[in-house]
Amino acid sequence: MIDMHPLTHALEEAWRTVTMAGVIGDPIAQSLSPAIHNYWCNRAGIEGVYLPIRVSDTQTDFDLALDGLRQIGFAGVNVTMPHKARAFGVGTQTDTTSKLIKASNTLTFTQGGIEGANTDGYGFAAALRAQCREHHSATPSRALILGAGSAASAVGVGLLTAGVKTIIVTNRTCAKAEVLASLLTQQDDQASIRVVQWQDREHIEADLVVNATSLGMRNKPPLSFEFGAVPGTAIAADIVYDPLETPFLRRAGARGLHTFNGLHMLVHQAVPGHHRWFGIEQAFDDDLYAHLLLTIEGTAKTGPFVIGLTGSIGMGKTTVAQMALEAGVPVWDADAAVHRLYGKNGRGAGALKAVFPGAVGTTGVDRTKLAALVLGNPKKMRQLEAIIHPLVAVDRALFLREVERQGFARCLLDIPLLFEGEFAASCDQTIVVSADAAVQRERVLARPGMSAAKFEAILAKQMPDAEKRARADHVIRTDCTLAETRAALLCVLSGTKDLATR
């Protein structure tokens, strides 16, 4: 483990005041919600961290994730596919949209339990109002919704909230459109809600047309709609934001219509959750929009140059990380982070005491006792992971934020499962330390309490060295002199051609 002494105190202080939130779903890596909420936190000077958290599509993993996040002190989470319907089933629902469509996308953890809400309807209404203000136009009086799924339901509620009194619903499966129309009528019996056949969708004279389907999304077929019947003053909206300009919006723009994409709805729906969790009323503006465009393009990177470091057991990863620290490069050590979290005053020890009381004593977590409780018990292992994995991710995020605040140009993340855990995607470059297999074996077997059988068992659980080297940007050999290893590392850190070979 590496002592990152220069940043330890700052990290400890950050843990005392940090507010944590996130988004859960599967897949989750593509979510723009972290970019939105972390941008707002940074702009407001809030010690807040918002994380993407992958939770697989099972009720058990969903329940374990919520229990774990509550235990470690998360303020709440957004919920995306495939868990929105499950989220409706927990806690108390606080808004009309979630009750209407039986799906929640925002959960707030309170002392009394969980409060659920669906802010998608609010988000669409707020986006529509903002567009009308910006272009000095009246609220549309007649809207056509294309689609009848949960997103279309939220759009329908948003339209009613915004004051649209005539809504036409169409869907490829007409029965689903009928269900949605009935739900919206229950919501506002003074509004005019009706259904048209899908093949008649292009003959409706609406002054707002909303694509609430997934058609036009990247890797999906486009939505066919020609806008021949709509007036030139109409608005076309798409809930899709990948790509930002769908074929649907492109055709609307060619017709001279005002358009807006799903990014507007996404940001506006994030406002209530951010206020609940971080205590600040935020807003959609040009600076945030520009930041999100850069994020989508992959050019929004700020802060230090991040290098991920990994290597199999006995390859010399700890030695190389120590060399980086001696060279003045801050190092975050995943194993050291777990030790801190398991310590007497660590956030992990407090959370684990409620779940594994027998493994936590006056000095923190007893790792031997904890291992005895979870090994061979998949559910208990998932309970442990639901607590410790988000905490480690928060610790890493706080480290990166502090490194940026202190003006370091680069930093090193020492992560044993850099490739297995898909952490490499968040690094600018990756290093794998490697040595001849015979050298590796000799080093490991020299460790106290190590046996050949134990060594082989550890190797069997790790990604093969050859595969790690194939994935890495740089390979640093450690079966040479320390001076040669250090020279290779310094070349990588300085940005010059590395001395290592594959």
Side-chain angles (χ1 to χ4, degrees):
M1 294 183 297
I2 302 301
D3 177 16
M4 53 169 199
H5 173 70
L7 294 168
T8 299
H9 178 70
L11 201 53
E12 290 174 350
E13 287 299 313
W15 264 113
R16 292 190 180 96
T17 58
V18 67
T19 299
M20 300 175 290
V23 54
I24 62 174
D26 187 19
I28 200 64
Q30 82 290 350
S31 174
L32 285 177
S33 292
I36 296 169
H37 290 279
N38 288 320
Y39 178 88
W40 279 338
C41 285
N42 292 336
R43 186 167 67 179
I46 300 169
E47 199 66 75
V49 171
Y50 184 101
L51 299 172
I53 302 168
R54 181 179 173 272
V55 178
S56 61
D57 187 10
T58 70
Q59 184 67 49
T60 297
D61 284 344
F62 175 75
D63 293 339
L64 288 174
L66 292 191
D67 288 343
L69 294 171
R70 292 186 68 194
Q71 287 287 349
I72 63 180
F74 265 56
V77 289
N78 285 126
V79 182
T80 187
M81 298 301 292
H83 298 300
K84 287 187 176 183
R86 292 188 180 106
F88 177 74
V90 301
T92 303
Q93 308 307 309
T94 61
D95 71 319
T96 301
T97 307
S98 59
K99 294 174 184 176
L100 182 73
I101 67 178
K102 294 181 170 51
S104 297
N105 73 338
T106 304
L107 300 177
T108 301
F109 303 143
T110 67
Q111 288 186 343
I114 301 177
E115 293 180 356
N118 191 309
T119 62
D120 285 335
Y122 167 89
F124 188 81
L128 178 59
R129 288 178 179 134
Q131 292 296 311
C132 291
R133 285 195 303 270
E134 181 180 345
H135 294 275
H136 307 289
S137 59
T139 300
S141 60
R142 186 181 178 90
L144 172 63
I145 302 176
L146 305 170
S150 60
S153 301
V155 167
V157 172
L159 291 173
L160 293 176
T161 302
V164 178
K165 289 302 183 181
T166 299
I167 299 175
I168 302 100
V169 182
T170 187
N171 189 64
R172 284 170 294 185
T173 304
C174 191
K176 291 184 178 180
E178 295 283 0
V179 170
L180 175 54
S182 176
L183 290 174
L184 295 178
T185 300
Q186 293 173 32
Q187 174 71 13
D188 185 351
D189 58 9
Q190 299 301 306
S192 172
I193 317 289
R194 68 184 181 91
V195 172
V196 298
Q197 296 292 324
W198 183 251
Q199 60 267 27
D200 296 328
R201 63 191 182 281
E202 296 181 354
H203 306 301
I204 305 301
E205 295 181 8
D207 50 5
L208 170 65
V209 183
V210 185
N211 174 29
T213 75
S214 61
L215 294 173
M217 187 181 294
R218 194 174 303 278
N219 299 322
K220 295 273 190 178
L223 170 65
S224 174
F225 197 91
E226 296 302 329
F227 297 96
V230 302
T233 55
I235 299 173
D238 202 323
I239 66 167
V240 172
Y241 58 85
D242 182 19
L244 288 174
E245 186 181 52
T246 60
F248 172 80
L249 292 182
R250 193 176 305 118
R251 282 193 296 272
R255 173 79 163 72
L257 308 183
H258 172 63
T259 66
F260 67 95
N261 57 47
L263 204 55
H264 297 259
M265 177 180 173
L266 178 70
V267 174
H268 282 289
Q269 68 79 32
V271 170
H274 194 87
H275 187 222
R276 289 180 183 127
W277 306 325
F278 298 104
I280 299 292
E281 187 75 39
Q282 298 282 7
F284 183 85
D285 55 33
D286 290 342
D287 289 342
L288 173 58
Y289 192 74
H291 172 72
L292 293 178
L293 291 181
L294 293 175
T295 300
I296 292 169
E297 294 168 0
T299 57
K301 168 78 176 170
T302 61
F305 190 83
V306 179
I307 302 172
L309 172 69
T310 194
S312 300
I313 183 172
M315 290 299 194
K317 180 170 61 65
T318 300
T319 299
V320 171
Q322 184 63 46
M323 289 177 176
L325 196 63
E326 292 167 357
V329 176
V331 174
W332 180 83
D333 181 339
D335 289 337
V338 173
H339 276 275
R340 288 196 309 275
L341 292 166
Y342 280 0
K344 179 180 179 180
N345 299 315
R347 186 72 67 99
L352 290 174
K353 188 171 184 178
V355 183
F356 305 103
V360 182
T362 57
T363 59
V365 176
D366 185 318
R367 300 184 72 155
T368 301
K369 291 181 179 178
L370 181 62
L373 290 172
V374 302
L375 290 179
N377 190 323
K379 183 175 181 179
K380 286 189 178 296
M381 178 61 79
R382 292 205 301 274
Q383 278 184 292
L384 172 62
E385 292 171 346
I387 290 172
I388 200 62
H389 285 179
L391 283 175
V392 171
V394 171
D395 194 81
R396 184 171 62 250
L398 292 175
F399 168 82
L400 291 171
R401 184 174 298 175
E402 194 57 39
V403 165
E404 181 176 4
R405 286 175 179 172
Q406 296 194 23
F408 288 96
R410 62 190 63 239
C411 66
L412 201 72
L413 302 182
D414 179 350
I415 304 177
L417 300 178
L418 182 69
F419 296 118
E420 295 91 331
E422 300 181 348
F423 301 112
S426 61
C427 298
D428 297 299
Q429 282 187 355
T430 57
I431 296 174
V432 163
V433 293
S434 184
D436 182 79
V439 174
Q440 177 192 26
R441 185 179 184 84
E442 181 181 356
R443 289 172 179 171
V444 177
L445 292 182
R447 296 180 181 181
M450 183 60 66
S451 66
K454 187 175 180 180
F455 172 52
E456 294 299 333
I458 293 172
L459 277 185
K461 295 179 181 178
Q462 295 185 338
M463 181 182 290
D465 177 56
E467 186 175 347
K468 288 180 179 177
R469 285 188 278 112
R471 294 191 184 196
D473 295 306
H474 304 284
V475 178
I476 293 181
R477 307 293 304 187
T478 63
D479 49 0
C480 51
T481 67
L482 288 175
E484 289 171 325
T485 297
R486 190 187 305 274
L489 173 65
L490 293 178
C491 283
V492 174
L493 296 179
S494 64
T496 59
K497 184 177 180 181
D498 61 312
L499 301 180
T501 61
R502 295 183 187 277

